[in-house]
Amino acid sequence: MRSFFGWGIRARTKSYWNHSMISVFQGKVITQGWTFKSADIGEYMKFGQILKFWYCYDITMAERNAISIKMMIELKRPWHKRMYDVPGVIGQLFGLRRFNIPWLNYCSERVVDVAKVIFPWYNQNHPTPEDLDALFKDSPRMKVVGYWVKQ
């Protein structure tokens, strides 16, 4: 994402990735913006964006259902409980992973909650998008199915 936060995340993690989101339905993503919401993927397919698409090839129906249920429950929470954890991102920027508002999340915290359905042993509490990319790279269950680049 092209923003001050995105720049800071990329600078701190020394990576290309500064945002994580989940696609549960074709053409839709569930993403942590200023609030946790469902959005059309087209909102992210803009000039200057690079998207990387991961897929779990051997996901079970039970895992898929658990992920869908988790996301639907989170999306139904009141807006003030779906807000972006701005202090958490600032904490990440300065290497203080525990500096956050405990009941709020930033994007990769939302995604790791879902990833733990597939990787229950994963215990990183405040991951960065780069941490998730590394988790997926190291897993034989996950495959990159494509990139979208608009420069």
Side-chain angles (χ1 to χ4, degrees):
M1 292 178 36
R2 296 172 58 100
S3 67
F4 173 74
F5 284 128
W7 170 85
I9 293 165
R10 281 192 309 275
R12 174 74 176 107
T13 61
K14 297 176 178 55
S15 74
Y16 291 110
W17 314 116
N18 64 24
H19 189 63
S20 301
M21 52 190 159
I22 305 148
S23 178
V24 182
F25 307 107
Q26 186 174 358
K28 294 281 186 191
V29 291
I30 299 175
T31 183
Q32 180 69 56
W34 289 112
T35 61
F36 190 58
K37 64 180 183 174
S38 177
D40 188 272
I41 189 70
E43 289 183 31
Y44 294 89
M45 296 177 143
K46 296 185 177 177
F47 181 79
Q49 304 288 21
I50 300 172
L51 303 178
K52 183 176 187 178
F53 297 92
W54 288 95
Y55 183 72
C56 182
Y57 276 97
D58 64 350
I59 193 168
T60 66
M61 188 57 72
E63 289 169 331
R64 186 180 304 273
N65 288 340
I67 289 169
S68 293
I69 290 167
K70 274 181 172 284
M71 293 300 92
M72 294 308 117
I73 289 170
E74 287 299 307
L75 287 169
K76 289 182 184 215
R77 294 177 73 196
W79 70 269
H80 62 278
K81 292 188 177 183
R82 293 181 291 116
M83 289 175 56
Y84 193 79
D85 184 10
V86 174
V89 171
I90 293 168
Q92 284 279 6
L93 182 61
F94 292 104
L96 305 169
R97 289 189 181 220
R98 294 177 187 252
F99 182 79
N100 63 10
I101 298 174
W103 59 88
L104 297 180
N105 295 104
Y106 47 85
C107 64
S108 49
E109 288 179 310
R110 294 280 189 187
V111 173
V112 81
D113 188 44
V114 170
K116 286 180 179 180
V117 171
I118 298 169
F119 307 105
W121 50 265
Y122 188 70
N123 62 2
Q124 178 99 22
N125 290 327
H126 305 286
T128 65
E130 180 66 20
D131 293 332
L132 292 173
D133 193 59
L135 169 68
F136 296 164
K137 279 181 187 174
D138 290 343
S139 172
R141 295 189 73 188
M142 301 297 289
K143 303 281 186 227
V144 174
V145 293
Y147 293 88
W148 188 90
V149 180
K150 179 81 174 192
Q151 297 295 336

